[in-house]
Amino acid sequence: MKNYVKLLTEQDVKNFLKQNNLVLYDGLFDKNGNPLKSIEKENDFIFVRCKHINRETNSIKDKIRNMVFNGFPISSLLFETKSVYDFISDTEIIFMENFSLSKINACENEENIYDKQLAESYYNYMANKFGEEYINDYKKYKKHLKDKENEMSL
């Protein structure tokens, strides 16, 4: 099968995000103060730091967000209060792979309908971009996963 994610350009990623009311999250820094890339491409996945377009941010949110995504341990014990959750809830971390998209929530307590809609939107985006070949490879991938699941349940 073709490595489709490797063929995606930075503009493709931005277009996908825009379709889903997301934008790249620029302005994050590592623990040494170096800027973090919003898009990091590896051979078989793309790591994206993004945020919702319509959510507010302010300097306090940005400072806390930097702490969280620069090595400060994320733990449900540290983020039990709603006020802290609100500070970091607009940040999305997305892994784009050939046939799947997964989102890491800053707070471990949620996986919602939006995540599933985002994954469906990713499939549609990839199918529109790469056409019938992608659709067929996707079906093979899903069949492979199902076969593997059946083997493990035996």
Side-chain angles (χ1 to χ4, degrees):
M1 285 188 232
K2 192 183 276 187
N3 188 344
Y4 295 97
V5 78
K6 193 172 184 177
L7 300 173
L8 290 176
T9 66
E10 194 167 303
Q11 189 59 50
D12 289 327
V13 173
K14 289 177 185 177
N15 290 342
F16 170 74
L17 294 175
K18 185 177 180 181
Q19 288 178 358
N20 291 282
N21 293 321
L22 296 165
V23 293
L24 293 176
Y25 196 99
D26 296 314
L28 292 173
F29 299 89
D30 68 15
K31 61 185 171 194
N32 297 321
N34 300 314
L36 292 171
K37 294 179 182 178
S38 299
I39 299 174
E40 295 184 34
K41 283 185 89 171
E42 297 295 328
N43 190 40
D44 52 357
F45 71 88
I46 300 173
F47 178 86
V48 182
R49 293 176 180 90
C50 55
K51 62 182 176 179
H52 288 271
I53 291 172
N54 298 324
R55 293 195 183 159
E56 292 180 27
T57 59
N58 63 38
S59 60
I60 294 171
K61 286 182 183 181
D62 292 338
K63 287 176 186 176
I64 291 175
R65 192 175 297 104
N66 278 326
M67 283 177 17
V68 170
F69 293 103
N70 296 326
F72 192 79
I74 299 173
S75 162
S76 56
L77 295 173
L78 295 172
F79 295 108
E80 288 179 327
T81 64
K82 183 169 177 16
S83 59
V84 175
Y85 175 78
D86 288 343
F87 286 135
I88 60 174
S89 64
D90 69 332
T91 302
E92 306 280 341
I93 296 184
I94 296 173
F95 285 97
M96 302 169 96
E97 298 177 282
N98 282 323
F99 303 108
S100 66
L101 176 138
S102 36
K103 185 180 89 165
I104 297 176
N105 295 308
C107 293
E108 301 167 15
N109 62 354
E110 69 174 57
E111 187 213 354
N112 56 36
I113 293 170
Y114 171 75
D115 296 350
K116 292 175 182 156
Q117 290 171 338
L118 190 63
E120 285 178 26
S121 178
Y122 181 66
Y123 166 78
N124 291 330
Y125 183 85
M126 297 294 277
N128 287 333
K129 179 163 180 64
F130 296 110
E132 198 66 34
E133 184 179 10
Y134 179 83
I135 294 168
N136 291 332
D137 284 349
Y138 179 83
K139 288 175 184 175
K140 289 177 193 172
Y141 167 77
K142 288 301 235 183
K143 183 181 179 332
H144 173 74
L145 287 180
K146 189 173 183 176
D147 292 346
K148 205 171 193 173
E149 185 178 299
N150 289 338
E151 285 176 19
M152 297 189 87
S153 66
L154 295 175

